[in-house]
Amino acid sequence: MVTKFQELQEHLTVRISQIRGVPEHELPATITALLQHTIQHIYSPKLQRIINTPEAALRAAEDSKMPGQASVYIPASDDIGFNIWFDFAKALPAQILNVKKIDIPLDDKTADEMSKSAGFLSLAHEQNADGNHILLPYVVPGGRFNEIYGWDTNFIAMGLLIEGNVTLVRSLIKHHLAEIQMYGRVLNANRCYYLTRSQPPLFIDLVLSYADHLSAEEFVREKALIESCIKAGIQEYEAMWTAEPHQTKNGLSRYFDPRKHFPPETEPGHFDPVIKPYADKLGISIEAYMQAFNAGEIENSELADFVMHDGAVRESGHDTTNALIGKAAHLNVVCLNSFLGKAEADIACLIESYFGGSLHIKNRITTAEEWRKKFEHRKQLMDQFLWNEKCGYFEDYDFIKGAFSAYISPRGLFPLWAGLASQQQADRIVSTLLPALEFPGGLASSDESSRGPVTLEHPQRQWDYPAGWAPHQILAWKGLERYGYHEEAQRLIYKWLFMITTTWLHTRTIVEKYDVVTSSQDFHAEYGNVGQGMDLHESAGFGWTNASYEIGLARLDSSYRDKLDRLISPDVVFDRSKNRDFY
């Protein structure tokens, strides 16, 4: 392993010096510092998108998921944005880039029709120091994802704040602010086929993190932006997440996508097993059946239900998991209500800390106390409907059947991150979920029994055992620390970072998801594993996995980091019998 590190260090010395002009003698000498340096100076820049030339505009508008003519849509009221894109299009060969105006707000029918196409939705711009209007930069997750996503962006931004790239985080916030103002929500991502759905609501969490990162002097300059963001966050909360169809009769919320057709952005053949029996019955091809169903020419209530639940799965960000397939739209899910509870607490904190306890919004005054009461009310509802006293953790609730939807997942730890659990509940959650979900590489997306046997009829899903994902790790670390489980959090951080470090030394890349049971990058399900098989020259890692490494290092005790740099196995570090000197 030392030889591998020396090889990589020599290679990176040249590579980083070429890219960033970093003198060789200033490059880090330890493994973790070198990997973090690689993330900051090679990977992160590759995931940034700056649209400042016609060629860059065309690259942004094109979509490998749905190849075809590149189109960009700009709200009709945004003359500045339209002129920026129109000038780019004029400088390109004729009709290679279509620039179109759309009227907003979009009615449901228009949004549904537009969601069948791959058009790029232009977002925020501002005037620079030279007086020119420019499109703001943004970040993408990596691989085939060439847009600014919803919850991905929150985690990537956490890494950028650690890097000190506050300016880019500000741009990301402005893009999501623009989405709420134009479309009523932070979109799944800024493509037409994402117009009908959002992703886990983490906008206010990001705004609070950004505000807390500013100095007092910086906050004065940014106060108007922070105020606009709070108001937009409240708008999204009230008009979408806590209104029908997202809020159900019991007062809790669910994920829901109103589209009536199959999502066009999935890879060819993704839905073939679902559609085939119906196509065979009519004696037509799968493709012909799908086209007729999407056009409303074939009515099929069973497929309509499948599409409804599929949309909710995709809005959850967990696309896909057997925990949600075929039932997501009927569930008050623990994760969403935890996100909303955290948003309520964060809005209260922002109003209290930065606006004197009250804020004027539309025709009313809203107060920190009002939002604290909303948080307490949600906590009571979660205790009533989502807390499973018998099992000792919060579970998704099927409000149609009036029963828990049992599935052991790290999402059960999210109430700790949001502060929605009592200490007694937290103690039971930790004692129950960690033994079921903790593996050599960190937390698995579910336990094996919840996933069940893998068969043709019940295939492996990418958000199920044995996959481990960065957002689950990050929120679990923070939740455990919040309730006093420091050693447990440190152990999970160490395992995750050790897995990323050791696999990176061999493959020279960071991937979208890992097999945490075998501590490897060798995980295949559904859409593959972004980053797998790339070398250092091509790789940009994967956005939130890159960020998880930086977040983990920032939270890891120095004594553990020293052991990580020496590549001491977690088995040794956390086994007292093997590591007596440490204890």
Side-chain angles (χ1 to χ4, degrees), residues 70 77 119 142 268 390 450 488 510 572:
S77 59
K390 181 179 178 180
S450 292
E488 288 79 2
I510 292 175
V572 175

Side-chain angles (χ1 to χ4, degrees), residues 45-200:
K46 287 184 178 181
L47 295 177
Q48 295 175 28
R49 298 291 183 266
I50 301 173
I51 305 176
N52 56 2
T53 66
E55 293 73 24
L58 181 60
R59 285 194 299 272
E62 290 175 331
D63 186 4
S64 64
K65 297 186 292 302
M66 287 184 67
Q69 186 173 36
S71 297
V72 179
Y73 294 87
I74 300 102
S77 59
D78 185 7
D79 291 332
I80 293 172
F82 180 83
N83 290 336
I84 294 173
W85 282 98
F86 188 73
D87 287 344
F88 286 148
K90 282 196 304 182
L92 293 166
Q95 297 184 339
I96 196 171
L97 177 63
N98 277 334
V99 180
K100 305 176 181 180
K101 289 186 176 182
I102 53 173
D103 292 320
I104 57 169
L106 298 171
D107 58 69
D108 291 343
K109 183 178 179 181
T110 303
D112 188 68
E113 194 59 36
M114 286 183 66
S115 70
K116 297 175 183 178
S117 68
F120 185 88
L121 302 169
S122 183
L123 298 176
H125 52 76
E126 69 180 11
Q127 195 170 23
N128 64 13
D130 298 327
N132 299 316
H133 289 277
I134 59 170
L135 300 172
L136 291 175
Y138 58 97
V139 295
V140 301
R144 70 192 189 108
F145 303 108
N146 195 35
E147 309 82 23
I148 176 172
Y149 280 76
W151 74 323
D152 293 72
T153 297
N154 179 80
F155 297 104
I156 295 170
M158 295 300 107
L160 292 171
L161 287 176
I162 291 171
E163 293 176 18
N165 198 341
V166 181
T167 302
L168 182 53
V169 173
R170 182 181 187 274
S171 294
L172 301 179
I173 288 173
K174 291 200 73 173
H175 283 306
H176 280 173
L177 172 63
E179 286 185 327
I180 297 174
Q181 291 173 337
M182 290 188 288
Y183 306 111
R185 71 197 72 187
V186 173
L187 297 174
N188 188 149
N190 62 315
R191 292 276 178 197
C192 286
Y193 49 68
Y194 292 135
L195 268 170
T196 60
R197 68 176 184 262
S198 184
Q199 273 199 319

Side-chain angles (χ1 to χ4, degrees), residues 529-543:
N529 197 358
V530 176
Q532 202 171 43
M534 291 180 145
D535 66 24
L536 188 66
H537 290 278
E538 300 174 341
S539 178
F542 194 78

